[in-house]
Amino acid sequence: MELRKRVDCILGMVLAIIMAVMVVNVLWQVFTRFVVGSPSSFTDELARYLMIWVGVLGAAYISGRRMHVAIDLLPAKLNKEGQIKLKIFINWIIIVFCFFALIVGGLRLVYITFTLGQYSPALQIPLAVVYLVIPISGILIIYYKLSDIINKQL
């Protein structure tokens, strides 16, 4: 559990830093647009990429904290043992989905954009860096779900 607390803490700090950078970035955009009269060229793109990272990493963070939205209609009708089995089954489905969609699919997307040499228009950073958050989030979600199953914290 100690490792999980550290991962939670680091992920929470990364999300807070990204949010802080996004706030400063948007404030700079507003300042340059309305005070200076010439909007900054990179702020819109940076805000978009930071929002992607916050959304995808935030999903992993919420998954780890077991705070994600769930429909509990079926579990409410099961006994305690049935609820535990259902939660384990759901966690395994999440693990399989994250492996194939986020890790395998995300790594393919990163590889393709890296191979093609795609760069963002304003920031001139490789789009592979932007898309790298997808497999990272998949790894984190799988870690959290396996940890839940192993430690029986369902």
Side-chain angles (χ1 to χ4, degrees):
M1 280 316 263
E2 185 64 34
L3 178 62
R4 185 175 176 133
K5 287 181 183 178
R6 272 206 246 153
V7 171
D8 280 345
C9 182
I10 291 170
L11 188 54
M13 287 173 45
V14 167
L15 286 166
I17 290 169
I18 292 172
M19 285 295 294
V21 170
M22 195 162 54
V23 166
V24 170
N25 179 57
V26 171
L27 287 174
W28 178 252
Q29 169 70 11
V30 170
F31 175 78
T32 57
R33 175 173 289 160
F34 294 111
V35 175
V36 178
S38 174
S40 180
S41 61
F42 70 90
T43 52
D44 183 46
E45 190 173 284
L46 181 60
R48 186 177 322 121
Y49 296 151
L50 291 174
M51 188 63 138
I52 291 169
W53 273 69
V54 164
V56 178
L57 280 179
Y61 182 74
I62 290 300
S63 176
R65 302 290 297 235
R66 293 182 293 280
M67 296 172 56
H68 51 282
V69 176
I71 299 172
D72 61 352
L73 189 66
L74 182 61
K77 295 183 180 195
L78 297 174
N79 60 12
K80 189 70 170 169
E81 184 180 329
Q83 288 179 358
I84 291 172
K85 287 180 181 178
L86 180 64
K87 288 179 183 177
I88 290 172
F89 177 71
I90 290 170
N91 280 346
W92 278 111
I93 289 175
I94 292 170
I95 289 168
V96 169
F97 173 80
C98 286
F99 178 76
F100 286 108
L102 298 180
I103 296 177
V104 174
L107 285 174
R108 286 186 67 203
L109 178 64
V110 169
Y111 175 74
I112 289 168
T113 55
F114 182 76
T115 303
L116 294 176
Q118 293 180 343
Y119 288 86
S120 65
L123 294 171
Q124 288 299 307
I125 59 171
L127 286 178
V129 172
V130 176
Y131 298 141
L132 192 60
V133 72
I134 297 170
I136 289 171
S137 180
I139 291 168
L140 287 169
I141 292 172
I142 288 175
Y143 165 74
Y144 282 131
K145 294 305 164 188
L146 284 175
S147 173
D148 286 346
I149 292 171
I150 292 169
N151 296 321
K152 296 186 181 18
Q153 298 206 347
L154 303 168

